[in-house]
Amino acid sequence: MLTIKSIRETNPVILNVANMVTPQHVADAINFYGGSPIMFTDEREAAGLTNISSGVVFNMGSTNEATLRNVIASGKVANKRGIPVVIDPVAIGATELRQDNFARAAEAVAFDVIRGNAGEIAYLANVNWQANGIDAGNGDGDVVAIAKKAAHRYHCWVVLSGVKDIVTDGETTYCVDNGHPYFQTNVGSGDMLDGILATAIATEHGLKALVRATATFSIAGELAGEKYPNQPASFFVELYNQLATITDEVIDTRMKIHQV
Amino acid sequence: MLTIKSIRETNPVILNVANMVTPQHVADAINFYGGSPIMFTDEREAAGLTNISSGVVFNMGSTNEATLRNVIASGKVANKRGIPVVIDPVAIGATELRQDNFARAAEAVAFDVIRGNAGEIAYLANVNWQANGIDAGNGDGDVVAIAKKAAHRYHCWVVLSGVKDIVTDGETTYCVDNGHPYFQTNVGSGDMLDGILATAIATEHGLKALVRATATFSIAGELAGEKYPNQPASFFVELYNQLATITDEVIDTRMKIHQV
Amino acid sequence: MLTIKSIRETNPVILNVANMVTPQHVADAINFYGGSPIMFTDEREAAGLTNISSGVVFNMGSTNEATLRNVIASGKVANKRGIPVVIDPVAIGATELRQDNFARAAEAVAFDVIRGNAGEIAYLANVNWQANGIDAGNGDGDVVAIAKKAAHRYHCWVVLSGVKDIVTDGETTYCVDNGHPYFQTNVGSGDMLDGILATAIATEHGLKALVRATATFSIAGELAGEKYPNQPASFFVELYNQLATITDEVIDTRMKIHQV
């Protein structure tokens, strides 16, 4: 079983092709959780940095020709070496460029995990959803069905974030009931989860590690929300405190997961 | 009248051409205030993202050929569709590049709001001011006269930030007396106000909406400063808490504005 | 002697070629300490912005062809005008690109200060060290010998950050015993110190100014750590509070330095 202790002892190096908005938050989340983040901008060091990493995260939020080249260059090396790849199709419903660049990444690289909100995962599952911009939007689709469909299509694990988080390999599916509304009030919560998922499966590969990492992040948020019920920014600072100090005992006690 | 309630119900999407220093703060400010931020880097999605937005913010702090192209591509679509445009001429007094790029943007795009400090607005008004780098500098000019002159020159609203904020359309001018010295102690306060102004006029177009939004941000700072009188970084976290939870009643009670 | 009072009165403009992860933290650190930060992305304004600056900081964490050009363009002007140059060889052990780009910068520009962790400075000193990614790694080298060797090789001051910080010109060497483990828990602490060092020597040039600035940052961390012993993110907010309000009396009382 993936433990916080093992993550902190492993201290895996996690390489990021980050977006331009939240890189500090993502690096902090990886670091506080127990990993060691690196980011880069020049394609020529993609292979070298991937070689010394134990996990890679591709955030498509600031997609452009240069960042796509970085994704593909790093992803190919990661695939060859069996280093897990997490990708986040940020706001993929919003523009053709995001759709084209994700498709080009998917052609060149096999993903281990796709993480997104309901609108983003619905797009990947070819399910109609009112995705508008970066938020999840509202829709009537069944999030479990959507997540499973995307997992089948891309032959990978899918983590669909929302009030309830869905974690699936397309066959076995878990629902994580932990969480707090202030995650959505803070820009970059999803991006941070990407980094946490990569750190988790860099330490122990498997669906259950993803489930536990998702729950851990949500529980850290619950603890923060209990301390700062009406202060969403204080919540965020405390989320980090909790992420850095949470124990396996607390996770075991509070984790609310069930198979669906 | 623009209310916080209406902003939160409208939840307008605000598109940003951000600088490289403060994008997280700007996104957070928009989000905590009640809007929904998006940022991008690739010109090819400028039109698509502008089309789904209700307001756009152009921060010229990291101006270069690529960001200028993004500004012009997004601004033209915004103008055509009547989407309000806020521009921030960051440190325009500092280099010819900033001056040239602002001029090129102004040739191609009509602005709804220019927001800057006294030194930046003075430059746009052709008034001599000791602007040096990113800070306002000190000078003897009359800030009301400067703001009005810039408003006339660019046919738009001007928000001049300082100890007192000036909000003008060139004819009608308001002075906002709310505020706190710790805004200047935190890098990006002005950039955050840009996003708040765009969110405000995306919800309700008009000079009075700009005045109320400027006052709201300043009042959030006053409340934060009262809670953390000697802790400028705690002030900043609390500024976000206040921005996310402030009510119209508190704004009405504390707002200190007068026409000049 | 360099005093906090003199820094705040001088309020030196510090120009940064920043990395893409921590620019907000670096700008905040400079600002809270008493300087005035500027950042830029377009080579064409490198000379103009350097001319109005009193110190420059080159962070090589997001090195690429564009940022290297910015480093060289700004560095040449800084050298010509006697403006102090601080460079941070982030993760230089990790890739050839980082090594080549640092070498190209070193060919074109004379540095006043190199700041890095043990692994980074060991690389520059041609000493074998297990540098892996961005963290210091563990090794058996003598940090004092490494710092002195790098100082001799690059004819500049070296600040080697770690549990103990080493500050040397190659002949005279100080050890700063102040500090707190949570500096390493927060991504960007070293980058922030780069900005603080530049602000310090922009105010008063000299090895002793570097020693005092290094101690000041460490003492601010000690004070933060005493207030938030088990909350590494609250530590970080409080680090800023302390940096903004620390007095020379507190620095004098707590500073633990000795010549080695």
Side-chain angles (χ1 to χ4, degrees):
Chain A
M1 190 190 75
L2 175 74
T3 61
I4 278 283
K5 202 165 161 283
S6 63
I7 292 165
R8 292 177 187 150
E9 281 167 9
T10 308
N11 186 229
V13 173
I14 305 300
L15 182 67
N16 297 267
V17 178
N19 69 35
M20 65 156 297
V21 185
T22 64
Q24 177 78 53
H25 280 3
V26 173
D28 285 334
I30 292 170
N31 213 48
F32 284 129
Y33 184 55
S36 190
I38 323 183
M39 302 195 176
F40 73 107
T41 54
D42 190 315
E43 187 186 0
R44 291 172 293 167
E45 64 176 353
L49 291 176
T50 306
N51 277 331
I52 60 166
S53 300
S54 301
V56 297
V57 179
F58 302 144
N59 185 301
M60 305 291 279
S62 298
T63 196
N64 58 40
E65 209 55 32
T67 55
L68 180 64
R69 277 201 304 268
N70 291 345
V71 162
I72 291 173
S74 169
K76 283 183 170 174
V77 174
N79 281 174
K80 196 177 293 176
R81 297 177 67 102
I83 297 164
V85 174
V86 176
I87 192 161
D88 185 335
V90 181
I92 191 166
T95 66
E96 273 181 45
L97 180 76
R98 288 173 193 242
Q99 292 150 21
D100 291 348
N101 284 1
F102 187 89
R104 286 168 64 192
E107 249 169 67
V109 179
F111 311 134
D112 294 79
V113 181
I114 300 174
R115 194 219 58 86
N117 61 36
E120 291 156 352
I121 303 299
Y123 175 86
L124 296 180
N126 271 326
V127 171
N128 190 29
W129 194 273
Q130 287 115 307
N132 195 10
I134 56 161
D135 287 327
N138 296 305
D140 295 305
D142 176 354
V143 287
V144 172
I146 284 169
K148 287 171 78 169
K149 213 170 158 193
H152 279 287
R153 182 165 176 205
Y154 291 95
H155 310 288
C156 70
W157 294 313
V158 166
V159 178
L160 185 159
S161 303
V163 176
K164 297 179 180 210
D165 303 311
I166 308 300
V167 184
T168 185
D169 62 7
E171 305 302 327
T172 308
T173 303
Y174 289 89
C175 176
V176 179
D177 287 321
N178 300 99
H180 194 279
Y182 280 167
F183 278 111
Q184 229 191 320
T185 315
N186 283 279
V187 175
S189 296
D191 304 339
M192 291 159 65
L193 181 54
D194 302 339
I196 283 168
L197 295 173
T199 307
I201 57 170
T203 305
E204 186 179 299
H205 210 247
L207 183 66
K208 286 197 170 168
L210 289 177
V211 172
R212 193 171 173 91
T214 303
T216 301
F217 190 51
S218 292
I219 292 166
E222 288 177 0
L223 294 164
E226 287 167 14
K227 195 157 172 187
Y228 296 102
N230 293 305
Q231 293 154 274
S234 301
F235 161 91
F236 192 78
V237 175
E238 184 62 21
L239 171 65
Y240 280 147
N241 286 333
Q242 293 294 341
L243 203 54
T245 56
I246 200 164
T247 62
D248 288 305
E249 289 66 37
V250 170
I251 298 169
D252 289 336
T253 306
R254 297 191 66 122
M255 191 158 68
K256 288 191 280 188
I257 60 171
H258 63 279
Q259 227 174 309
V260 287
Chain B
M1 191 190 73
L2 175 75
T3 61
I4 278 284
K5 202 165 162 284
S6 63
I7 292 165
R8 291 176 188 150
E9 281 168 10
T10 308
N11 187 229
V13 174
I14 305 300
L15 182 66
N16 297 267
V17 178
N19 69 36
M20 64 156 298
V21 185
T22 64
Q24 178 78 54
H25 280 2
V26 173
D28 285 334
I30 292 170
N31 213 47
F32 284 129
Y33 184 54
S36 190
I38 324 182
M39 301 193 177
F40 73 107
T41 54
D42 190 314
E43 186 187 359
R44 291 171 294 167
E45 63 176 354
L49 291 176
T50 306
N51 277 330
I52 60 165
S53 301
S54 301
V56 296
V57 179
F58 302 144
N59 185 301
M60 305 291 281
S62 298
T63 196
N64 58 40
E65 210 55 31
T67 54
L68 180 64
R69 276 200 304 269
N70 290 346
V71 162
I72 290 172
S74 169
K76 282 183 171 174
V77 174
N79 281 173
K80 196 177 295 176
R81 297 178 67 101
I83 297 164
V85 174
V86 175
I87 193 162
D88 185 335
V90 181
I92 192 168
T95 66
E96 272 181 45
L97 180 76
R98 288 173 192 241
Q99 292 150 20
D100 292 348
N101 284 1
F102 187 89
R104 287 168 63 193
E107 249 170 68
V109 179
F111 312 135
D112 295 79
V113 180
I114 300 174
R115 194 220 56 89
N117 60 37
E120 290 156 353
I121 302 300
Y123 176 85
L124 296 180
N126 271 326
V127 170
N128 190 31
W129 194 273
Q130 286 114 307
N132 194 12
I134 57 160
D135 288 326
N138 296 304
D140 296 307
D142 176 355
V143 288
V144 171
I146 285 168
K148 287 171 77 169
K149 212 169 159 194
H152 278 287
R153 181 165 175 206
Y154 291 96
H155 309 288
C156 70
W157 294 313
V158 166
V159 179
L160 186 160
S161 303
V163 177
K164 298 179 179 209
D165 303 311
I166 307 301
V167 184
T168 185
D169 61 7
E171 306 302 326
T172 307
T173 303
Y174 289 88
C175 176
V176 179
D177 287 321
N178 299 99
H180 194 277
Y182 280 168
F183 277 112
Q184 228 190 320
T185 315
N186 283 280
V187 175
S189 296
D191 304 339
M192 291 159 64
L193 180 55
D194 301 339
I196 283 168
L197 295 174
T199 307
I201 57 171
T203 304
E204 186 179 300
H205 210 247
L207 183 67
K208 286 197 170 168
L210 289 176
V211 172
R212 193 172 174 91
T214 303
T216 300
F217 190 51
S218 293
I219 291 166
E222 288 177 1
L223 294 164
E226 286 166 14
K227 194 157 172 188
Y228 295 103
N230 293 304
Q231 294 154 273
S234 301
F235 162 90
F236 192 78
V237 175
E238 183 64 20
L239 171 65
Y240 280 148
N241 286 333
Q242 293 294 342
L243 203 54
T245 56
I246 201 165
T247 62
D248 287 304
E249 288 66 38
V250 170
I251 298 168
D252 289 335
T253 306
R254 297 191 64 124
M255 192 158 67
K256 287 191 280 188
I257 59 170
H258 63 278
Q259 227 175 310
V260 286
Chain C
M1 192 190 73
L2 176 73
T3 61
I4 278 283
K5 204 165 160 282
S6 63
I7 293 165
R8 291 177 188 151
E9 282 167 8
T10 308
N11 186 228
V13 174
I14 305 299
L15 182 67
N16 297 266
V17 178
N19 69 35
M20 64 156 299
V21 185
T22 63
Q24 178 78 54
H25 281 2
V26 173
D28 285 334
I30 292 170
N31 213 47
F32 283 130
Y33 184 54
S36 191
I38 324 183
M39 302 195 175
F40 73 107
T41 55
D42 190 316
E43 187 187 359
R44 291 171 295 168
E45 62 176 354
L49 290 177
T50 306
N51 277 331
I52 58 165
S53 300
S54 301
V56 297
V57 179
F58 302 144
N59 186 300
M60 304 291 280
S62 298
T63 196
N64 58 40
E65 209 55 31
T67 54
L68 180 64
R69 276 201 304 268
N70 290 346
V71 162
I72 291 173
S74 169
K76 282 183 170 173
V77 174
N79 281 174
K80 195 177 294 176
R81 297 178 67 102
I83 297 165
V85 174
V86 176
I87 192 161
D88 185 335
V90 181
I92 191 167
T95 67
E96 273 181 44
L97 180 76
R98 289 174 192 241
Q99 292 151 21
D100 291 348
N101 283 1
F102 187 89
R104 286 169 64 193
E107 248 170 67
V109 179
F111 311 134
D112 294 79
V113 181
I114 300 174
R115 195 221 55 89
N117 60 36
E120 291 156 353
I121 302 300
Y123 176 85
L124 296 180
N126 272 326
V127 171
N128 190 30
W129 194 272
Q130 286 115 308
N132 195 12
I134 55 159
D135 287 326
N138 296 305
D140 296 306
D142 176 355
V143 288
V144 172
I146 284 169
K148 287 170 78 170
K149 214 171 157 193
H152 279 286
R153 184 168 173 203
Y154 291 95
H155 309 289
C156 70
W157 294 313
V158 166
V159 178
L160 186 159
S161 303
V163 177
K164 296 177 180 211
D165 302 311
I166 307 301
V167 184
T168 185
D169 61 7
E171 305 301 327
T172 308
T173 303
Y174 289 89
C175 176
V176 178
D177 286 321
N178 300 98
H180 194 278
Y182 280 167
F183 278 111
Q184 228 190 321
T185 315
N186 282 281
V187 176
S189 295
D191 304 339
M192 290 159 66
L193 180 55
D194 302 338
I196 283 168
L197 295 173
T199 307
I201 56 170
T203 305
E204 185 178 302
H205 210 246
L207 183 66
K208 286 197 170 168
L210 289 176
V211 173
R212 192 170 174 92
T214 302
T216 300
F217 190 51
S218 293
I219 291 166
E222 289 178 359
L223 294 165
E226 287 167 14
K227 194 156 173 189
Y228 295 103
N230 292 305
Q231 293 154 273
S234 301
F235 161 91
F236 192 77
V237 175
E238 184 63 20
L239 172 64
Y240 280 148
N241 287 333
Q242 294 293 341
L243 205 52
T245 57
I246 201 164
T247 62
D248 288 304
E249 289 66 38
V250 170
I251 298 168
D252 289 334
T253 306
R254 298 190 65 123
M255 191 158 69
K256 287 190 280 186
I257 60 171
H258 63 278
Q259 229 176 307
V260 287

